[in-house]
Amino acid sequence: MPIPPHNRRASRAVAATLSAAGLIALAAAPAAFGDETAPELVIGGIEPVNGVKPGSSFDLSATVANKGTRAAEKVWVSYGVTRGLDFAEVPSNCRTQQVRSYDEMPERWIAVCAFDQVVEPGTVYTPERPLRVEALDRALNDELRVNVWDVDPGADENGTQPVAGTAPAVKLVEGQAGSEGTARVVNVPVSSVNTADYQVTGAALKGSVGDTVKMKVKFINAGPAWILTKQGERSVSVMITPPAGTSVVKRGQFCQAKGKAYVCGMRSLNEASSTTANRPPGASASWTLRSARSG
């Protein structure tokens, strides 16, 4: 989600103040705006979620705290979930948006909740009612991302038109002291009790000695879960061993030699879809084999 610059709203505020007060006020306090510090908002109270069953739901609680010295006049909390999860109900002071995959980020749902309340320094707040998240049939290894802002983050330009929630609005209430977090952005894993059926298909090849032929190797995820390879984790891989008596003229992209075989890593792959030689679904074959000449 794009991060709007913090000085955008401040610049508008400065312009409005100068317009109303005139040059006399500017001369009287030239350093007032430069000395003003921004709120330092942090998210806390979020832990990894394990053992979720598809079709069930869980409550997502979070805390908001201001570690700065200036109060935040209004705050926005955004919740992002990967495509194995969804929001069971959304308060009317929140808006949701479906964002397609881009820049190596998987498809996700985002809910941005606006709290028109002052968040004072040194005080911990929490939504009076937790956000409920549902695990879909395709859930397996998903991710939850929570941000807090003192300006409206706006909509993601790669997503659908935001839609306002229909459940009763929620507000922030004072939370337990000592439960504040340390970061503005928090990422946590959500693992579900599910499986993904991996399948590999190939094709029979024909050719005379010395011929060069193309080989298609397709990896299929028959579901029911989708596959998300997270950063730092070992990805699903397919090992391809060329037939005896052949040599590889051109190998698949992102495939590395391992002895006489080649290992191709898989990125995120939706359920009931396939990919060829680690390329996106529907890509053409990228393997070329040549038969050895006799003698």
Side-chain angles (χ1 to χ4, degrees), residues 123-138:
T123 304
V124 179
Y125 302 83
T126 186
E128 61 181 342
R129 188 173 68 253
L131 190 66
R132 177 155 293 186
V133 179
E134 180 183 5
L136 305 179
D137 290 342
R138 59 177 174 241

Side-chain angles (χ1 to χ4, degrees), residues 84-137:
L85 306 173
D86 199 359
F87 302 110
E89 58 181 22
V90 180
S92 58
N93 59 313
C94 308
R95 62 178 188 264
T96 59
Q97 184 185 29
Q98 185 179 14
V99 181
R100 63 180 180 271
S101 175
Y102 69 96
D103 290 345
E104 310 244 348
M105 293 185 64
E107 178 186 4
R108 62 185 61 221
W109 281 94
I110 295 177
V112 179
C113 300
F115 299 97
D116 194 5
Q117 300 173 236
V118 176
V119 173
E120 298 286 352
T123 304
V124 179
Y125 302 83
T126 186
E128 61 181 342
R129 188 173 68 253
L131 190 66
R132 177 155 293 186
V133 179
E134 180 183 5
L136 305 179
D137 290 342

Side-chain angles (χ1 to χ4, degrees), residues 176-265:
Q176 183 178 359
S179 61
E180 65 272 17
T182 59
R184 186 182 63 81
V185 183
V186 176
N187 292 295
V188 297
V190 179
S191 62
S192 300
V193 182
N194 207 352
T195 59
D197 183 10
Y198 304 154
Q199 300 174 3
V200 178
T201 62
L205 302 177
K206 293 182 180 181
S208 301
V209 173
D211 286 351
T212 298
V213 296
K214 291 185 178 295
M215 178 180 69
K216 288 187 176 181
V217 179
K218 181 178 290 186
F219 173 76
I220 301 171
N221 175 16
W226 79 302
I227 303 169
L228 171 62
T229 301
K230 301 176 183 178
Q231 187 175 6
E233 293 184 356
R234 183 178 180 181
S235 64
V236 176
S237 60
V238 173
M239 179 173 287
I240 300 173
T241 303
T246 65
S247 60
V248 176
V249 177
K250 182 181 179 181
R251 60 179 172 82
Q253 190 180 18
F254 307 118
C255 297
Q256 302 296 325
K258 186 175 182 180
K260 295 182 179 181
Y262 292 82
V263 176
C264 305

Side-chain angles (χ1 to χ4, degrees), residues 40-47 59-67 75-79 115 119-120 122-131 144-149 171-186 188:
E40 187 181 346
L41 301 175
V42 291
I43 283 287
I46 303 175
E47 301 292 338
D59 289 337
L60 174 61
S61 299
T63 63
V64 175
N66 184 357
K67 299 178 67 176
V75 297
W76 288 259
V77 178
S78 68
Y79 307 85
F115 299 97
V119 173
E120 298 286 352
T123 304
V124 179
Y125 302 83
T126 186
E128 61 181 342
R129 188 173 68 253
L131 190 66
L144 168 68
R145 181 182 179 94
V146 185
N147 295 22
V148 62
W149 319 75
K171 62 182 180 180
L172 295 176
V173 295
E174 190 167 337
Q176 183 178 359
S179 61
E180 65 272 17
T182 59
R184 186 182 63 81
V185 183
V186 176
V188 297

Side-chain angles (χ1 to χ4, degrees), residues 18 22-31:
L18 293 180
L23 296 179
I24 296 177
L26 178 63

